[in-house]
Amino acid sequence: MKLATRTLTLKLDNERLRHIDRVWELLEDGYKDVKGGLFFTSKENLLKTTAQWKVIVCANKIIAVTIYKAKKGLKLVAMTVSKAVEYKKTAVNALTKLIKRDLKTCWMELSEAAEKFVMRFAKDYAVKNHLVAQIINKDITLSADGVHYFRTIKNINKEKILLGTPVFN
């Protein structure tokens, strides 16, 4: 049986506060195996430093989330899905559809599992690595493949790829 989902776009603090506990729980769980972990230090930090969240709801439960900052347009900075068996497939499918839509209007830096997941359907959105330094305003080292680069995040040198439609200015 296919489960129905809906996506809520949360921009106002009071909207996001209503869902902060579940969103935080999903993010902590989703990033526990990522080198460097979750970038946000607290729920308060998550609220203060982000511009928008999209939460995917199924059976009145948040089963996936994407988090955005306002940087050169909208930058998707975190994403995760519920690991609950009854929602996992639905969450992954809904997140795939959401990111496919969002790549036309936002951008993201990816590595590890997130890169593998998104690159299955987003290869056309890869930004050439020689453009990345001017987009992110950070020191990077270019990879020979023309799309990957290395940068230090939380004292860890990570290989990343930038996808989407950043605003150049």
Side-chain angles (χ1 to χ4, degrees):
M1 178 175 92
K2 187 171 181 179
L3 299 173
T5 62
R6 61 190 165 99
T7 302
L8 306 175
T9 301
L10 310 176
K11 296 179 183 178
L12 303 175
D13 282 352
N14 65 335
E15 295 172 322
R16 294 185 293 159
L17 271 170
R18 212 172 304 137
H19 302 287
I20 186 73
D21 291 332
R22 177 63 178 147
V23 166
W24 185 254
E25 177 186 305
L26 281 171
L27 288 169
E28 281 193 316
D29 190 43
Y31 280 80
K32 70 179 181 234
D33 296 326
V34 174
K35 290 179 201 150
L38 184 60
F39 188 75
F40 301 101
T41 55
S42 66
K43 293 176 189 177
E44 295 75 25
N45 176 251
L46 175 64
L47 280 169
K48 271 198 287 192
T49 62
T50 59
Q52 176 176 294
W53 304 351
K54 290 186 180 179
V55 295
I56 298 170
V57 179
C58 179
N60 292 321
K61 294 182 182 349
I62 296 174
I63 62 167
V65 62
T66 53
I67 306 292
Y68 306 80
K69 289 186 176 185
K71 285 186 169 187
K72 307 264 181 168
L74 271 184
K75 179 183 182 187
L76 192 154
V77 294
M79 68 176 117
T80 193
V81 296
S82 171
K83 292 186 173 116
V85 175
E86 66 270 29
Y87 297 113
K88 177 92 181 205
K89 185 175 181 183
T90 299
V92 168
N93 289 338
L95 183 63
T96 299
K97 286 180 189 166
L98 173 64
I99 293 172
K100 279 182 179 179
R101 275 193 313 268
D102 278 2
L103 281 164
K104 297 172 187 151
T105 58
C106 80
W107 62 283
M108 59 198 77
E109 290 182 272
L110 301 172
S111 59
E112 299 179 52
E115 178 184 351
K116 286 182 184 88
F117 171 67
V118 175
M119 286 302 284
R120 295 181 318 178
F121 53 84
K123 286 182 175 69
D124 293 344
Y125 284 96
V127 174
K128 298 291 183 197
N129 63 7
H130 67 88
L131 300 171
V132 171
Q134 76 182 77
I135 296 168
I136 67 172
N137 296 321
K138 306 264 190 237
D139 289 330
I140 63 169
T141 303
L142 303 182
S143 291
D145 69 1
V147 290
H148 285 90
Y149 55 95
F150 291 88
R151 80 178 186 100
T152 302
I153 301 170
K154 293 174 80 173
N155 294 319
I156 298 169
N157 194 32
K158 295 186 93 165
E159 185 176 42
K160 310 283 279 178
I161 188 168
L162 194 147
L163 301 170
T165 50
V167 175
F168 288 86
N169 41 342

